[in-house]
Amino acid sequence: MSLSRRQFLSRSTGAGLAVAVAGSVDALFTAAPALGVSGPEIGYGPLVPDPAGMLDLPVGFGYTVLSREGTVRPDGGIVPSRFDGMGSFADEARGTRLVRNHECSPTAKITVVAPPERTYDRAAGGGTSTLAVDASNRAVSEHVSLGGTAINCSGGRTPWHTWLTCEETEDKAGARGYTKDHGFIFEVDPHDDARNTDPTPLTAMGRFQHEAVAVDPHTGIVYETEDAFVAPLGSFYRFLPNRPLGGHGSLRAGGVLQALHVPDLPDLSVVTEAGTSFSGIEWLDVPDPLATTESVRAQDYGKPITGGYKIEGAWWGEKDGCAYFVSSFARRELGSARDHDGQVWRYDPRANTLRLETIFTRPTPAPENPEFDAPDNICMSPYGGLMMCEDGIGDQHILGTTAGGDVFVFARNRVNVGTAGDPEYGELAGATFSADGRTMFFNVYNPGITYAVTGPWNRRQGWGVTP
């Protein structure tokens, strides 16, 4: 079955929602820590129009605005633009620290301005902000924790409770006026800014169009995604650190970067049936992680590395010990072998297997029937299933999955939702939960807004509630 965006939206306030998802998502429900193992059987219920015109949520859920771009921070600085990936960390007195990316180039509306000691390249406009939020979801403080980086897209948490922020670019010094090479991963400590001084790129982890990372808390291996949107296709990588699980700064000790090789599978898009599994996975050493003359994905490995279009979200399944990653969509006209609107893959390092867990199928395209747009940033709900941030055309949503494999709408952005010719309106990003599972945090990309959402997360029969 396929579902157009028009059909999708028309059902978003009805008694159920059936997006074209193939296969079971049982693995997605067992990969996260269970807070009572009582996630939604069929969703959290119809969306209620927000009287303030900002964010529609199901009955019983509410939001708090923590931060908005262009406002004045308590320290007198201006909140930068382009809110993207974000990580949450437990703070004292049941509070939360959020580290938020700003996917800014030098031409962004409001670039990141950091103190000199926390600036990598004074000509670059990206970086991260750190927000302190108390137990009542009130923003206590906000400041820039990293500056002078470029197009900070997503990233990931480490087992030692830091944030790895990823540059989604391959620009070298001289491009866009940069004074240093870009395309690296940087580490940000959410609690101690003294550790964020003298920003150092983690060069051994590769210089490419990074999107997200997932870290194995048992081995310290870091899995990395590459959101390449020009040929050749991006890939999925792993980094074997010389000092695994060594704590803040340990990744600076270097290691070995390797690219994925699945025998007889050069392009992930050719796999169309959920449950398809591959064994005999190989990891090939990257010849030149700094991409001195050729992009990492274009180098000679002796064997073809396995690629995919828009390889984006990544996370670690804490209970099943597997790395999950997403190919957001694929189109033949963009270089893929086949079309799809989203794949969720699971790599099991113990069995050394790769399995397609979920696939969104493509609707029949037509000018009056825009396609359903696949997920970008994704996180695991502590109650089971995925929470997916939509990034595409038209209305933007956060979607969730049930144990039965259905997709439901959890939130709809109502701010800046339809500016013609603006490809960056309204994207949702950075979904993450507080340590106690009571609050979900996420961002609107443009104009930048950070939300805290609370409500009856344990509600199982959501569709039985009528607004």
Side-chain angles (χ1 to χ4, degrees):
M1 183 183 79
S2 64
L3 191 69
S4 72
R5 173 174 287 277
R6 175 172 294 179
Q7 293 167 316
F8 173 74
L9 294 177
S10 70
R11 299 187 189 185
S12 63
T13 57
L17 181 65
V19 176
V21 178
S24 170
V25 292
D26 286 346
L28 306 179
F29 263 71
T30 59
L35 296 179
V37 197
S38 55
E41 291 179 342
I42 49 177
Y44 287 110
L47 301 186
V48 179
D50 178 12
M54 294 187 66
L55 187 68
D56 298 341
L57 295 167
V59 173
F61 286 86
Y63 67 84
T64 300
V65 174
L66 300 177
S67 175
R68 300 190 72 156
E69 80 165 80
T71 58
V72 179
R73 299 190 306 261
D75 64 4
I78 305 299
V79 178
S81 302
R82 299 182 182 178
F83 295 8
D84 210 314
M86 186 164 64
S88 64
F89 305 85
D91 204 358
E92 59 186 17
R94 293 176 55 202
T96 300
R97 288 286 177 118
L98 298 172
V99 182
R100 181 186 64 213
N101 285 357
H102 296 276
E103 196 182 40
C104 293
S105 68
T107 60
K109 182 179 179 181
I110 307 172
T111 57
V112 176
V113 178
E117 67 273 15
R118 295 202 293 272
T119 301
Y120 169 66
D121 178 356
R122 65 184 183 278
T128 64
S129 292
T130 298
L131 289 75
V133 182
D134 68 15
S136 299
N137 285 326
R138 293 173 297 196
V140 177
S141 66
E142 179 176 352
H143 68 277
V144 170
S145 43
L146 172 69
T149 51
I151 312 179
N152 296 66
C153 191
S154 190
R157 289 168 42 95
T158 68
W160 48 90
H161 309 300
T162 62
W163 175 248
L164 297 180
T165 181
C166 297
E167 293 186 307
E168 189 186 7
T169 181
E170 294 178 312
D171 286 337
K172 292 185 176 182
R176 303 179 186 240
Y178 295 146
T179 65
K180 297 181 179 180
D181 290 349
H182 290 272
F184 296 113
I185 296 175
F186 292 78
E187 186 171 24
V188 179
D189 192 303
H191 298 286
D192 186 357
D193 274 318
R195 292 182 168 182
N196 298 329
T197 59
D198 189 22
T200 302
L202 303 174
T203 54
M205 299 181 74
R207 193 181 71 81
F208 55 85
Q209 291 174 205
H210 288 278
E211 173 77 22
V213 300
V215 186
D216 183 340
H218 304 291
T219 65
I221 293 174
V222 184
Y223 295 91
E224 310 175 28
T225 60
E226 181 180 27
D227 184 7
F229 34 82
V230 294
L233 297 172
S235 192
F236 184 59
Y237 302 88
R238 73 175 186 182
F239 177 69
L240 309 177
N242 290 334
R243 289 183 56 200
L245 303 173
H248 182 101
S250 62
L251 294 174
R252 296 185 185 186
V256 178
L257 181 67
Q258 298 177 319
L260 176 71
H261 169 71
V262 181
D264 302 317
L265 183 63
D267 184 347
L268 296 172
S269 72
V270 303
V271 185
T272 59
E273 183 176 350
T276 303
S277 183
F278 299 87
S279 59
I281 306 303
E282 296 182 50
W283 293 95
L284 310 178
D285 289 355
V286 174
D288 177 18
L290 289 176
T292 307
T293 58
E294 285 189 293
S295 295
V296 166
R297 63 188 183 278
Q299 294 173 23
D300 184 5
Y301 291 86
K303 301 178 181 180
I305 62 173
T306 298
Y309 195 75
K310 300 291 289 180
I311 300 182
E312 302 200 70
W315 68 94
W316 182 258
E318 295 186 22
K319 294 194 75 175
D320 66 355
C322 295
Y324 291 79
F325 67 94
V326 172
S327 173
S328 189
F329 68 89
R331 295 290 181 268
R332 277 172 280 203
E333 60 266 31
L334 298 173
S336 295
R338 290 195 178 184
D339 299 328
H340 67 73
D341 273 290
Q343 295 174 326
V344 181
W345 291 88
R346 177 176 64 155
Y347 173 66
D348 185 337
R350 291 168 298 183
N352 195 32
T353 57
L354 183 70
R355 173 185 164 98
L356 178 62
E357 294 294 335
T358 302
I359 183 167
F360 289 72
T361 61
R362 188 187 191 199
T364 302
E368 71 282 0
N369 184 28
E371 65 192 29
F372 168 69
D373 297 297
D376 188 339
N377 287 183
I378 293 183
C379 75
M380 303 295 292
S381 166
Y383 305 91
L386 292 172
M387 301 300 283
M388 305 176 283
C389 298
E390 191 182 10
D391 171 17
I393 59 173
D395 288 349
Q396 305 294 284
H397 305 84
I398 287 184
L399 309 174
T401 58
T402 70
D406 293 324
V407 173
F408 62 89
V409 176
F410 176 74
R412 175 170 52 234
N413 177 37
R414 295 271 302 280
V415 180
N416 193 19
V417 294
T419 305
D422 181 1
E424 297 178 340
Y425 64 78
E427 171 190 343
L428 296 174
T432 182
F433 280 83
S434 60
D436 62 10
R438 296 181 179 180
T439 304
M440 182 183 185
F441 303 97
F442 58 86
N443 300 317
V444 175
Y445 181 91
N446 179 32
I449 303 171
T450 298
Y451 289 107
V453 173
T454 56
W457 295 106
N458 280 316
R459 186 166 70 208
R460 297 177 65 81
Q461 297 293 341
W463 290 115
V465 180
T466 302

